[in-house]
Every structure is written in structure tokens, then in C-alpha cells.
Amino acid sequence: MINRQLLQPESIVVIGGSNNIHKPGGAVVRNLLQGGYKGTLRIVNPKEDEVQGIKVFHDAKEIPPTDLAILVVAAKYCPDYVELLAAEKEVRAFIIISAGFGEETKAGAALEQRILDTCERYGAALIGPNCIGLLTEWHHSVFTKPIPQLNPQGVDFISGSGATAVFILESAVIKGLQFRSVWSIGNGKQIGIEDVLQYMDEQFDPETDSKVKLLYIENIANPDKLLFHAASLIRKGCRIAAIKAGSSESGSRAASSHTGAIASSDSAVEALFRKAGIVRCFSREELTTVGCIFTLPPLTGKNFAIVTHAGGPGVMLTDALSKGGLQVPPISGPETDELKSKLFAGASVANPIDILATGTPEQLGVAIDYCENHFDNIDAIMVIFGTPGLVQLYETYDVLHKKILECKKPVFPILPSLHTAGPEVEEFLKKGHVNFSDEVTLATALTQVMRTPAPASPEIELFGVDVPRIREIIGGIKNNGYISPELVHDLLSCAGIPMVPEMVSADKNTLVEFAEKVGYPVVAKVVGPVHKSDVGGVALNIRSKEHLALEFDRMMKIEDATAVMVQKMISGTELFIGAKYEPRFGHVVLCGLGGIFVEVLKDVSSGLAPLSYAEAYSMIHSLRGYKIIQGTRGQSGINEKRYAEIIVRLSTLLRFATEIKEMDINPLLADKDNVVAVDARILIER
């Protein structure tokens, strides 16, 4: 519940405000005053008469009606204050800085619940508890520093951790990244990250609102809400990047000890972000670097020119961009000769364009002009310019400032001399620019941005999928566990997923007849044990009925064997598709190359069911082994369109069969004409 009293309060009371600016109560008052809050500011403190120039109320019962209350007192006092203020003082928004609630003990959780119940009863908004506060242009209701420069078109930043928010702000400020608002939701008892995104989505004004959102998430309480509103904002022209901490088991323990968060499977998070179009980041530096990238004009291609006065950083940047699938193409032709004639002897214009350590500000401007106006194969320009301390860089950075404003192509300033040329960099940032001080960090962040697909279509692909029959089959399964091969075959058939011809039977003669019909060679697999290979339950390349009979007799003696499956043996590139049901997220679908690529290299890509064709192609293209799918070293590629279709069909099957908790098809065998499922297993849990 986000309301006017929270965002634009005409009056604020700080319960626990003090003169000690080294404690949260005093720091909140200081930040409100220094932030230029224009409303009425009230302080409640039983021991002070005046706090930072403001006359103090000794008891909350003495204050007039007030819009917003900020509580900076011990947790045990908070529920009674909230009740008093909401019931008698018409307070309809609360920011509770105090800790000691559900993140620590059961008793604290009970206090937190009392606060929530009161807020819900009176229709009041609640930020926290256990947070650093809320920072907007209207009011600086935080107790921490730094206070970043606020700008109506700056970044909206939402964090599930107060301390992490502070560290992210530290990282952002030195890059020149400006903010519109900072939300620290703490325990998120009423308003979580998803709720803030919902508000921003539903109230979005493309003329006045920020189009960049950065998120630090420890707990995804409502994946569907996060997906819906993040995707909606991105479709409206916004760009979103996020860190999801606590996706590993150890990270989950760390997150849980801090906020009571429950870590989600990393593949589920990856799939959710991919579906929403959120750029996933893994560190504070990466998140703030992506945020800076978002402030520049959008990239229209993957070709970069590097203008530098130092060879080494240019080489490292070239390597990092190439590693991420981005390109630093060679530049040649009459224009390059013309450019070289305007630089000092020894300069290089091959790309990177090295104007030498002695290069002048004018030469830097000329090199940028040529990249902008003469080199058509260049989509963006990266400028590396620092100093060893011999000269000041005010003139150079002024040239760079002017070129950034003039150029239609994005210009990425990489100014590494934060100490030696600190004043010059600061002056450059004050003109509204950002700075990427490390070229490799920039390339890594750019790679993540370029690899992130647009939000997926919400439509479900139903063509060729027999949903009523799927529900009929699932409804007829009474027991939990892995289902029989016959039912697996039926379900895949309902989804339109082709399977290799097969027969399951406990009768030897029936299987021999089937093999004679489909033709040798065939494959025999034991039915019963889950891991067939581990118990010797797979025999390949069977070429006669005598060989098949021997294998049948051997397999039926394996422990837990109930029958034998015989399949036509086919060849092709081994592929893999799997799925796992994650609580709250739904089915996470995995795809990749089969065999060693799954088991050892773990080269898989994930998506959240149901999947669109665009998502399926994005998953396939993101595999490290994608070149094998395309065809390499004289081998023809596979039917990629058919592989994507099977991924989509499987995701639709899962959407209507939530009882399926795990499944995999491994392998699928693929060639240039077709993709066929060879082996599959499905685990049902009701």
C-alpha cells in the first residue's frame, strides 16, 4: 500500500529524533533538514527540548495530526507507537528504521505482525521495519550516507538490504550515476520489492518518470508479480537490472540469517529474469555499471571503436569485448589514412585508435568525429583517457563532454585516473555524465546487457497440444513417483513431441516381433530401476533376435526390473531437455547438449514455463556449445527450429500438468531434418 502520505507528506514526525547525528535518530533529522524538506517537521524525544533547531514534543500524544511517522526507537515500543499514531494522530504512513523484529526472533516477528495489523486496519503504508528508510526528492527519510544527487530522470533503486543499499550507492556516486528515488524495504512486511515495482508500473508516466530501475533482491516473495510488472515496465520503455542474492545453499543461509529470506533455485531466478527481460548482475560494481550503461543512448549494434591514449587498456578492453561476443572491427580505407594524417607520428588507427600518450584534446575530438561521421561499421565509441600526473585534463574532458552531447552514437567515457585526476573527473561528472573507470568491468556489464532478451510474450502456445487428454492422463495417475514408459509416451504424444519407435513388455517374444518389424539395430533398456545405466540396464546396437533374447534374459534378472523396453536405434547429435518444479516459480525448463555437456560441463540454459518461441531460441543461442548445434568442423547442424518447437511444446505440457515435479528427455537425437526423443522419465507428486 503506497500512498500520498508516504511519498508526499505535508508533515513528518520523527519518533526518537535527537541531536546526536552519529546515531540513526539524529542522522534522520539531519538528512531531512539538509534535503530541504518543505513540510512541517516534528520531533518526539522525552529527554530533549530542542533537536537541531526544532522544538521537541516530549510525548507523541502532544503532536497534532501528521502524515508520516519515522520510528527510530527500540522494537518493543514500536507497536504501541504505531497504534497511537494511527488511531489518534491520523498518521497514514510509517517508516520503521528500528531492527529487532522478525529477522531476529519469534518474539520480534510477533511485534512486526502487530504493526502490520494496525497499518492494515487504518489503511496506512509501512516501509520496514529494519531498513535505512526512503529517499525521494520530496523527503530524505534515511539515516545513512551517501546522499546521491537526485534527478527526476535519475535511477529508481529498490533494495532488500539497507547496508547493501549504502554500498551500492557508494559505488554509484563515484561513477556519476544519479538517482530519482532509493527504497530500502527492510523486512518488507507490507511493501516488498514487487509492490514497489507494481506501483511504479501502474503509475508510470513516460514524460516524467525514470526509465531505469535497479534492484537488489534477497527474497522473491511473489515471482508472478515481479515478472508481470517488470516486463510491463520494460515494454513501456524502462530498463531494469537486478542482483538476486542467496541463490546458492550457502548464500541462502546468509540471506536467511539477515532478513529471513528463502533462497530460490538459481536456475529459477535465471529463468525469471530472462522471461521478464531483466539484466542479471552479480556484484555491486556490475549493477551500478549496468545502471550507467542504461543512461546512455541504446546500442543499435555490437561494433565498437576504442579511442585511447594508452595501448594496454585498449588491448584489455578489446579482449573483454571479444570474449563477450561483441566486436572491435578493423577500420580501413581512405578515411583512416586521413585520420592518421591528423595525429602524431606513430599513432595507430586500426582500432583501437591509439592517439598516443602525447595526443592533444583536439586530436581526441578529431578521432571521435571520425568514428561518429565516417566509419559506418561502428555502432558505439569507447574513450579511454587518464593521466600519469604530468598534465591536467580539464580541457580534454571538456572536449569529451561536448562530443558526447553532439554524437548520435553512444560514447562510453573510461576515465581511470580517479586519484591523480580526481578534480577533473569530478568536474566532468557534475556536467551530468557517468564514468566507467575500469574497461573490463564495462565490457562484462555490456555483455550482460546485450545478452538479455526482450520480455517474453505472455501468450501460451497451444497449437498441437491436446490439453484435455493431458489432464485425463494425469488425473488417472493415483500414485506418486516415476510413471511407466507407456504413460510417458502418451504424455509426450499429447504435446506433439516425437519419440523413437518403442515397445515395452515383459514378454520376450513380443519384443522380438517388434524388433523384426522396425528393423535392426535396436536398443534394449530395463524398466523399473531409475538409473538404467548404473545397473547395466542399457544395451546398444543389438543386431539380431538372438542377441536381443540374451539381453532380455539378463535384464529381467536385474533388481526391481519389471519389463524391458526396445527402441529403434537411431543416430544424431545428443540434446537434452529437462524440467523441475520450483515452489512459487512454477516449472523451470532446462535445455542443452546431451551427454558430457550436461553431466560434466553443465552447459544448460533455463527458462520459465510457459515458453514462447523467442524464449526457446534465446535459450538455445545462449549455450556455450551453440556452435555444435549450428554445425562445426564439417558436421552439419541440427534442425534448430524443431528443437525450439519441442522446448515450447514441453513447456505447455508442464503448464497444464503441475503435478509433474521433475522430468527429463535425455537424449533427444537430432540431425538436420528432425529431433526425436529417445529416453524420458517423469516424476509425479500430488
Side-chain angles (χ1 to χ4, degrees):
M1 179 186 296
I2 297 173
N3 55 23
R4 178 197 62 79
Q5 290 89 341
L6 178 65
L7 296 179
Q8 298 178 338
E10 296 178 3
S11 52
I12 298 175
V13 59
V14 181
I15 308 295
S18 73
N19 284 306
N20 189 345
I21 62 172
H22 300 294
K23 292 187 176 181
V28 168
V29 175
R30 176 202 63 200
N31 288 343
L32 282 165
L33 293 173
Q34 292 182 353
Y37 174 61
K38 294 180 174 57
T40 302
L41 180 59
R42 303 181 175 112
I43 313 292
V44 172
N45 188 319
K47 299 178 182 179
E48 302 274 3
D49 294 325
E50 185 177 284
V51 166
Q52 300 182 45
I54 299 174
K55 185 180 177 181
V56 169
F57 294 90
H58 291 152
D59 193 317
K61 294 179 181 178
E62 301 171 358
I63 69 170
T66 303
D67 280 348
L68 167 66
I70 304 170
L71 273 59
V72 201
V73 294
K76 62 183 179 181
Y77 301 122
C78 289
D80 290 338
Y81 270 120
V82 171
E83 179 67 40
L84 168 69
L85 294 167
E88 300 181 21
K89 304 301 175 181
E90 300 177 18
V91 173
R92 292 298 177 262
F94 293 89
I95 297 174
I96 301 183
I97 304 294
S98 316
F101 292 91
E103 79 280 0
E104 291 189 5
T105 64
K106 289 184 178 179
L111 295 175
E112 196 172 313
Q113 188 61 46
R114 280 182 57 196
I115 292 170
L116 177 63
D117 291 343
T118 301
C119 289
E120 296 292 304
R121 188 162 64 250
Y122 289 97
L126 171 63
I127 295 287
N130 183 31
C131 68
I132 65 169
L134 174 62
L135 176 65
T136 70
E137 291 183 282
W138 192 276
H139 62 104
H140 294 186
S141 296
V142 295
F143 71 90
T144 55
K145 286 189 174 182
I147 303 293
Q149 184 173 344
L150 297 182
N151 183 321
Q153 292 301 308
V155 172
D156 287 318
F157 173 41
I158 315 166
S159 177
S161 164
T164 306
V166 170
F167 301 151
I168 288 172
L169 290 174
E170 292 274 6
S171 171
V173 165
I174 62 173
K175 293 181 176 69
L177 187 60
Q178 298 181 9
F179 288 79
R180 177 175 179 260
S181 66
V182 176
W183 299 67
S184 164
I185 57 111
N187 292 3
K189 190 63 179 178
Q190 182 199 72
I191 297 173
I193 288 175
E194 299 93 330
D195 302 295
V196 179
L197 276 180
Q198 178 181 3
Y199 179 84
M200 290 178 176
D201 179 26
E202 293 175 349
Q203 304 296 320
F204 183 72
D205 184 339
E207 298 298 322
T208 60
D209 287 356
S210 167
K211 293 183 174 64
V212 178
K213 321 291 179 188
L214 301 182
L215 316 176
Y216 173 80
I217 307 171
E218 288 187 344
N219 177 37
I220 302 178
N222 191 329
D224 285 342
K225 182 184 282 190
L226 178 65
L227 169 62
F228 180 86
H229 292 292
S232 176
L233 281 165
I234 293 170
R235 291 190 187 100
K236 291 174 181 176
C238 292
R239 307 179 81 182
I240 302 178
I243 296 172
K244 169 61 179 79
S247 295
S248 66
E249 184 178 347
S250 298
S252 172
R253 289 197 305 273
S256 296
S257 64
H258 179 58
T259 64
I262 301 173
S264 306
S265 160
D266 190 65
S267 59
V269 173
E270 185 75 28
L272 176 65
F273 283 13
R274 179 191 296 275
K275 197 173 192 70
I278 297 172
V279 177
R280 188 175 187 188
C281 301
F282 296 90
S283 70
R284 300 191 302 271
E285 284 299 306
E286 190 175 355
L287 182 69
T288 55
T289 300
V290 170
C292 290
I293 292 170
F294 284 168
T295 66
L296 302 181
L299 287 164
T300 57
K302 296 183 177 182
N303 291 341
F304 294 84
I306 300 172
V307 180
T308 179
H309 70 153
V315 173
M316 288 193 290
L317 179 54
T318 301
D319 288 343
L321 290 171
S322 299
K323 183 179 179 181
L326 308 177
Q327 294 152 7
V328 183
I331 299 171
S332 60
E335 292 87 356
T336 58
D337 296 334
E338 189 176 292
L339 171 59
K340 191 167 185 176
S341 70
K342 299 182 179 184
L343 304 177
F344 289 140
S348 170
V349 294
N351 199 17
I353 300 169
D354 188 349
I355 67 172
L356 303 178
T358 52
T360 66
E362 293 77 14
Q363 289 173 332
L364 174 65
V366 168
I368 294 173
D369 283 340
Y370 270 76
C371 293
E372 167 74 7
N373 300 311
H374 298 288
F375 302 146
D376 294 336
N377 63 333
I378 295 301
D379 302 305
I381 308 160
M382 294 182 162
V383 177
I384 306 174
F385 216 104
T387 177
L390 300 176
V391 295
Q392 291 185 325
L393 295 178
Y394 290 107
E395 187 180 352
T396 302
Y397 290 171
D398 189 51
V399 168
L400 181 57
H401 158 69
K402 292 175 182 176
K403 294 304 176 185
I404 289 174
L405 297 182
E406 293 172 4
C407 289
K408 294 180 181 179
K409 296 176 182 178
V411 178
F412 294 81
I414 303 168
L415 315 180
S417 301
L418 300 181
H419 177 73
T420 307
E424 294 100 308
V425 173
E426 185 177 354
E427 185 70 22
F428 177 78
L429 297 181
K430 283 181 179 178
K431 295 175 180 176
H433 301 299
V434 294
N435 174 33
F436 307 93
S437 60
D438 183 84
E439 59 278 350
V440 175
T441 302
L442 168 59
T444 302
L446 264 175
T447 299
Q448 285 296 95
V449 171
M450 298 297 282
R451 284 179 177 174
T452 302
S457 167
E459 302 298 324
I460 300 176
E461 299 286 350
L462 293 173
F463 181 74
V465 179
D466 189 345
V467 176
R469 176 60 181 151
I470 289 170
R471 291 309 312 160
E472 181 182 346
I473 294 171
I474 293 292
I477 300 171
K478 303 305 180 185
N479 298 320
N480 291 343
Y482 286 98
I483 61 176
S484 69
E486 293 92 342
L487 289 175
V488 171
H489 190 281
D490 289 346
L491 284 172
L492 295 184
S493 295
C494 290
I497 298 173
M499 292 196 70
V500 66
E502 66 181 33
M503 169 69 70
V504 177
S505 179
D507 179 73
K508 185 191 308 182
N509 292 331
T510 300
L511 294 177
V512 169
E513 289 177 7
F514 172 77
E516 296 283 343
K517 179 180 178 182
V518 298
Y520 293 100
V522 296
V523 178
K525 302 176 184 178
V526 68
V527 176
V530 174
H531 300 290
K532 303 175 181 65
S533 298
D534 294 348
V535 296
V538 178
L540 305 176
N541 204 26
I542 299 172
R543 294 184 172 275
S544 67
K545 62 180 181 181
E546 292 80 12
H547 187 183
L548 176 58
L550 288 171
E551 292 294 351
F552 176 87
D553 292 337
R554 181 183 66 81
M555 290 183 186
M556 290 301 290
K557 295 175 183 177
I558 295 174
E559 184 176 358
D560 297 327
T562 59
V564 172
M565 174 194 293
V566 172
Q567 296 175 318
K568 174 67 177 175
M569 186 170 177
I570 60 176
S571 61
T573 300
E574 290 191 358
L575 304 175
F576 160 83
I577 304 178
K580 185 171 186 264
Y581 184 83
E582 288 287 346
R584 295 180 294 142
F585 285 80
H587 284 101
V588 179
V589 180
L590 305 173
C591 77
L593 292 162
I596 189 173
F597 293 95
V598 173
E599 298 168 5
V600 178
L601 302 182
K602 303 189 185 304
D603 182 18
V604 295
S605 182
S606 60
L608 202 61
L611 295 166
S612 65
Y613 279 93
E615 287 179 278
Y617 280 117
S618 176
M619 290 167 64
I620 295 169
H621 294 168
S622 68
L623 294 169
R624 296 194 302 275
Y626 176 60
K627 288 185 178 179
I628 297 175
I629 290 174
Q630 286 182 300
T632 184
R633 302 194 69 174
Q635 295 183 346
S636 60
I638 71 157
N639 189 327
E640 187 177 325
K641 180 180 178 182
R642 187 64 175 138
Y643 188 27
E645 181 183 340
I646 291 174
I647 293 171
V648 171
R649 288 177 177 275
L650 178 67
S651 77
T652 304
L653 162 66
L654 295 167
R655 173 64 179 80
F656 294 99
T658 56
E659 297 87 349
I660 296 176
K661 299 308 182 213
E662 287 185 31
M663 76 167 294
D664 62 59
I665 307 175
N666 188 20
L668 293 96
L669 289 177
D671 57 26
K672 61 183 178 63
D673 297 317
N674 208 353
V675 181
V676 179
V678 175
D679 199 3
R681 59 177 184 168
I682 295 177
L683 175 67
I684 296 286
E685 288 182 7
R686 296 185 177 278

